[in-house]
């Protein structure tokens, strides 16, 4: 699943839907074929054309900025973030949807970046662990994780923090049970769960 | 994952024009060349592709088709849940929680919070079995064209305990268990644009009928919604999932009960079992055992035992019998 870094043909007329909004090519009714040529629907698509999917250039809004990147249709959001944008804070554990290490927000909703195609993000906004701090100030959950030493090897931590921070955004005074439920999909092999719960509850008190 | 081209459909017609295969067909040895398949949120499809079991030439996204992600409820007509509604949308809907509790509970307990934010109702129903032999690229099991079901001699603790032929896989959809108990109807649009309304018990296909698939969908047929009948007066429902952990896990046994009561007397009931067989099942034996009786600890336990009369456990999954007996009893006691 490595991306080819080769320069792509610039896409032709791409001023449709998602693109109009300036973020993403996943405009409904488009097909991506042969080395990154974007064909607008409904007129130009022929049933028997040869599909040789190649690299394409897309725009994606990540942590408040519109970023351009070269991906293939099969590139996952996790790979796009890590390999194209070098936002390596997002970790890939199982790469199959089972551990939640790769959790990012799409339009504020915790989403598995390993099971999302980059091409599908469209004009929705992605927030990663790198985008959580505001003006050099860590997010309260990040601070609480440091204070409580809620991280060991750290591999699950970015996903854990994105999940916990979303809980607090939705529910500013959660119970321990709420925290357990919210993080029930986030696996930690180092066993930091008790500290994760304590840190999240503490962050809620301070926020 | 194999290379593929991506098509983002703007309408049902457009998506149907593109799609020429089911994902199940792409898993078979005679997979069509240039297969083009539907993708909802892709949790199941991408898993099969990452494993190398499915390699479609084109993936057709249906996320941006308007109108498929809506829930509507009318106390007279019932509930209509669009095929692209996510499990989180279902578990967050107050009308569903108030009128179809078992569906709320099934959606709230399936998979992980993150997956529930992504996974759709349609994809959940059409996902393939998570039998680990079926899911492994290295093993060509009975469902993938060989003559061997490895679970018979292998590790079968998660497999079926009833209604199987040779293949002992279990159906993986938790929502199906609840939807079976409610006598739901699957709304399907065929390639000619005609709507078919299929009772959910006729939607799933046993491997004894066709081992290459788990549901009736033909290439290009799109599920548009699932419809639940209007809640009858004095009808109560409940769902229980038993997994090996309290947090995220696949069910080892699931039950959904929809019961029409008169006081504590069970006038009619539907007991649905999940993770028991290659398809979600209605337990007629449990239904018959409790219908007409006052629901008590004793009659509820009796219904659980009745349901398990036809169980034929494998070498490692005999534990499922007492688990099912217990959760059937608990679910029946929960409705009174
Ligand atoms: C760690 C983990 C734990 C899980 N635990 C559970 C659990 O406890 N209970 C449970 O039920 N599930 C569980 N799942 C499975 C998960 O819920 C399903 O994979 C998911 O619901 C599939 O939905 P999707 O939208 O991603 O489908 P997709 O992967 O997009 O599609 C699945 C299939 O359905 C077809 N399809 C999708 N929509 C339509 C439509 N509208 N019309 C026709 N065909 C369509 C696709 O072509 C494909 O064949 C788990 C998954 C993981 C990874
Ligand atoms: S890496 Fe995405 S869920 Fe494990
Ligand atoms: S800190 Fe190591 S996996 Fe959680």
């Amino acid at each position: 699943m490595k991306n080819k870094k080769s320069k792509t043909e610039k896409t032709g007329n791409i001023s449709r839907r998602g693109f109009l909004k300036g973020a993403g090519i996943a405009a409904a009714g488009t097909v991506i074929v042969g080395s990154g040529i974007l064909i607008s629907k409904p007129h130009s698509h022929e049933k028997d054309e040869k599909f040789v999917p190649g690299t394409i250039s897309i725009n994606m809004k990540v942590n408040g900025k519109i970023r351009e990147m070269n991906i293939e249709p099969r590139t996952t959001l996790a790979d796009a973030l890590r390999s194209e944008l070098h936002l390596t804070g997002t970790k890939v554990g199982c790469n199959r949807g089972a551990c939640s290490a790769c959790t990012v927000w799409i339009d504020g909703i915790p989403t598995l970046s390993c099971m999302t195609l980059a091409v599908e993000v469209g004009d929705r906004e992605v927030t990663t662990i790198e985008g959580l701090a505001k003006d050099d100030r860590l997010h309260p959950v990040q601070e609480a994780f440091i204070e409580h030493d809620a991280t060991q090897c750290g591999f699950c931590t970015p996903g854990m923090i994105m999940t916990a921070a979303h809980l607090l955004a939705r529910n500013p005074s959660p119970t321990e049970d709420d925290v357990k439920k919210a993080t029930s999909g986030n696996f930690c092999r180092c066993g930091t769960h008790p500290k994760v719960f304590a840190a999240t509850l503490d962050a809620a008190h301070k926020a | 994952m194999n290379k593929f081209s991506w098509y983002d459909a703007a309408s049902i017609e457009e998506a149907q024009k593109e799609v020429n295969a089911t994902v199940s067909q792409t898993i078979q040895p005679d997979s069509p060349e240039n297969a083009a398949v539907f993708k909802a949120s892709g949790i199941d499809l991408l898993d099969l592709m990452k494993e190398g079991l499915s390699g479609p030439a084109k993936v057709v996204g249906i996320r941006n088709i308007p109108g498929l992600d809506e829930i509507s409820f009318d106390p007279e007509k019932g509930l209509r849940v669009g095929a692209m509604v996510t499990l989180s949308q279902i578990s967050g809907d107050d009308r569903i929680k108030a009128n179809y509790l078992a569906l709320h509970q099934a959606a709230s307990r399936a998979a992980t919070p993150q997956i529930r934010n992504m996974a759709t109702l349609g994809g959940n129903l059409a996902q393939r079995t998570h039998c680990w032999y079926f899911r492994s690229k290295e093993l060509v099991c009975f469902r993938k064209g060989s003559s061997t079901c490895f679970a018979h001699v292998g590790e079968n603790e998660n497999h079926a305990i009833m209604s199987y032929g040779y293949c002992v896989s279990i159906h993986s959809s938790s929502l199906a268990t609840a939807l079976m108990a409610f006598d739901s109807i699957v709304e399907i649009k065929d390639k000619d644009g005609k709507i078919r309304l299929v009772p959910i018990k006729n939607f799933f296909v046993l491997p004894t009928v066709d081992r290459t698939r788990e549901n009736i969908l033909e290439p290009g047929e799109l599920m548009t919604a699932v419809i639940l009948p209007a809640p009858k007066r004095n009808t109560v429902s409940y769902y229980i999932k038993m997994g090996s952990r309290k947090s995220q896990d696949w069910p080892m046994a699931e039950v959904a009960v929809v019961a029409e009561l008169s006081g504590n007397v069970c006038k009619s009931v539907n007991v649905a079992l999940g993770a028991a067989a290659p398809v979600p099942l209605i337990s007629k034996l449990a239904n018959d055992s409790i219908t007409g009786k006052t629901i008590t600890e004793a009659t509820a336990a009796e219904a659980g035992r009745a349901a398990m009369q036809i169980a034929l456990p494998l070498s490692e999954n005999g534990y499922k019998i007492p688990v099912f007996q217990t959760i059937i009893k608990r679910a029946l006691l929960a409705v009174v």
Side-chain angles (χ1 to χ4, degrees):
Chain A
M1 299 227 313
K2 278 266 137 24
N3 292 313
K4 288 220 186 67
K5 285 280 166 73
S6 66
K7 259 271 158 279
T8 60
E9 288 174 52
K10 236 349 195 194
T11 52
N13 174 17
I14 47 173
S15 56
R16 282 171 51 87
R17 281 172 257 195
F19 253 137
L20 279 175
K21 297 179 191 130
I25 65 158
T30 51
V31 61
I32 297 156
V33 295
S35 32
I37 303 158
L38 188 78
I39 298 179
S40 294
K41 285 292 294 175
H43 307 296
S44 50
H45 180 60
E46 272 161 37
K47 202 75 222 163
D48 56 359
E49 66 193 283
K50 197 99 186 89
F51 289 95
V52 191
T55 313
I56 41 169
S57 167
I58 64 164
N59 291 325
M60 191 190 290
K61 194 168 183 193
V62 181
N63 298 333
K65 287 198 203 85
I66 304 226
R67 307 286 301 263
E68 193 184 331
M69 60 181 109
N70 296 324
I71 55 149
E72 292 180 49
R74 65 175 169 168
T75 307
T76 63
L77 174 58
D79 282 351
L81 292 169
R82 291 178 53 83
S83 308
E84 294 302 313
L85 301 185
H86 308 294
L87 292 172
T88 52
T90 299
K91 303 295 179 219
V92 177
C94 66
N95 201 21
R96 289 293 187 93
C99 74
S100 303
C102 65
T103 304
V104 300
W105 297 347
I106 298 186
D107 278 354
I109 310 273
T111 303
L112 302 177
S113 59
C114 79
M115 297 306 267
T116 303
L117 298 177
V119 75
E120 262 190 299
V121 173
D123 52 16
R124 295 179 292 167
E125 171 158 16
V126 177
T127 308
T128 69
I129 189 75
E130 290 91 345
L132 216 52
K134 286 278 167 301
D135 306 324
D136 289 340
R137 235 196 100 78
L138 289 179
H139 187 281
V141 173
Q142 290 175 304
E143 276 175 353
F145 266 59
I146 296 169
E147 265 171 49
H148 286 260
D149 210 1
T151 174
Q152 283 269 322
C153 78
F155 214 76
C156 70
T157 309
M160 202 69 99
I161 290 178
M162 295 310 285
T163 307
H166 172 261
L167 170 68
L168 298 194
R170 189 161 56 81
N171 175 2
S173 42
T175 62
E176 179 159 335
D177 201 46
D178 295 333
V179 180
K180 283 185 181 170
K181 276 204 183 106
T183 56
S184 61
N186 294 77
F187 284 8
C188 172
R189 284 187 283 194
C190 305
T192 61
H193 295 281
K195 295 194 169 188
V196 166
F197 305 151
T200 307
L201 290 170
D202 200 24
H205 292 138
K206 287 186 183 153
Chain B
M1 255 192 299
N2 63 296
K3 283 174 181 268
F4 57 83
S5 47
W6 167 249
Y7 189 95
D8 194 1
S11 69
I12 295 178
E13 295 68 34
E14 222 181 81
Q16 289 185 312
K17 220 176 99 216
E18 296 300 323
V19 166
N20 60 18
T22 63
V23 170
S24 294
Q25 286 177 330
T26 67
I27 297 169
Q28 293 304 313
D30 58 350
S31 166
E33 243 178 80
N34 285 323
V37 298
F38 290 127
K39 172 182 180 294
S41 102
I43 303 281
D44 199 47
L45 176 60
L46 295 188
D47 186 77
L48 293 165
M49 290 172 68
K50 286 180 179 188
E51 178 67 21
L53 289 172
S54 171
K58 195 196 309 185
V59 173
V60 178
I62 55 177
R63 241 194 102 246
N64 288 320
I65 299 176
L68 292 178
D69 60 352
E70 285 159 17
I71 301 176
S72 57
F73 174 64
D74 179 323
E76 306 289 307
K77 291 195 195 121
L79 178 73
R80 187 174 193 282
V81 187
M84 290 302 289
V85 167
T86 63
L87 307 195
S88 290
Q89 266 176 285
I90 294 175
S91 64
D93 192 290
D94 292 336
R95 300 163 299 178
I96 294 179
K97 192 173 179 186
N99 296 287
Y100 304 92
L101 180 64
L103 177 59
H104 163 83
Q105 292 168 316
S108 309
R109 283 283 276 120
T112 67
Q114 285 85 342
I115 289 176
R116 295 196 289 270
N117 289 341
M118 304 168 71
T120 66
L121 173 60
N124 189 271
L125 294 180
Q127 67 176 304
R128 293 307 313 268
T129 178
H130 279 74
C131 166
W132 41 46
Y133 298 110
F134 174 77
R135 289 269 161 176
S136 161
K137 170 95 173 102
E138 273 68 53
L139 297 169
V140 183
C141 77
F142 180 68
R143 273 203 184 274
K144 293 183 285 189
S146 84
S147 56
T148 310
C149 171
F150 297 96
H152 285 279
V153 287
E155 290 176 16
N156 54 34
E157 71 220 46
N158 293 331
H159 288 75
I161 53 164
M162 58 176 68
S163 303
Y164 50 82
Y166 180 52
C167 164
V168 292
S169 63
I170 51 170
H171 200 278
S172 293
S173 169
S174 298
L175 296 205
T177 308
L179 293 170
M180 286 282 288
F182 284 110
D183 277 333
S184 312
I185 286 171
V186 185
E187 186 185 274
I188 299 168
K189 205 165 200 179
D190 72 17
K191 272 208 140 176
D192 303 324
K194 276 210 297 287
I195 297 275
R196 280 203 290 154
L197 296 176
V198 179
I200 192 157
K201 64 175 192 300
N202 301 337
F203 178 76
F204 299 104
V205 174
L206 276 164
T208 43
V209 175
D210 184 345
R211 61 164 141 167
T212 68
R213 56 162 78 195
E214 288 175 74
N215 62 62
I216 59 167
L217 292 170
E218 295 292 336
E221 285 192 334
L222 188 84
M223 264 182 278
T224 43
V226 175
I227 299 160
L228 283 73
K232 277 193 252 160
R233 280 231 266 127
N234 304 324
T235 296
V236 193
S237 70
Y238 207 79
Y239 163 92
I240 296 176
K241 163 178 169 175
M242 194 62 84
S244 48
R245 302 186 209 102
K246 237 192 189 162
S247 62
Q248 179 253 134
D249 210 352
W250 290 93
M252 58 169 81
E254 290 176 298
V255 60
V257 166
V258 177
E260 192 191 351
L261 303 169
S262 167
N264 281 358
V265 177
C266 175
K267 283 177 67 187
S268 68
V269 69
N270 243 351
V271 178
L273 309 181
V279 295
L281 288 180
I282 293 291
S283 174
K284 240 191 127 296
L285 291 168
N287 290 357
D288 291 347
S289 166
I290 193 87
T291 302
K293 294 192 185 136
T294 303
I295 301 181
T296 63
E297 185 85 29
T299 57
E302 182 50 39
R305 280 194 295 273
M308 289 301 114
Q309 272 168 24
I310 56 165
L312 285 169
L314 307 166
S315 56
E316 293 176 346
N317 68 4
Y319 74 91
K320 282 196 179 193
I321 292 177
V323 173
F324 270 110
Q325 286 173 339
T326 304
I327 63 175
I328 292 168
K329 181 182 83 178
R330 285 187 194 162
L332 285 168
L333 288 172
V335 299
V336 290

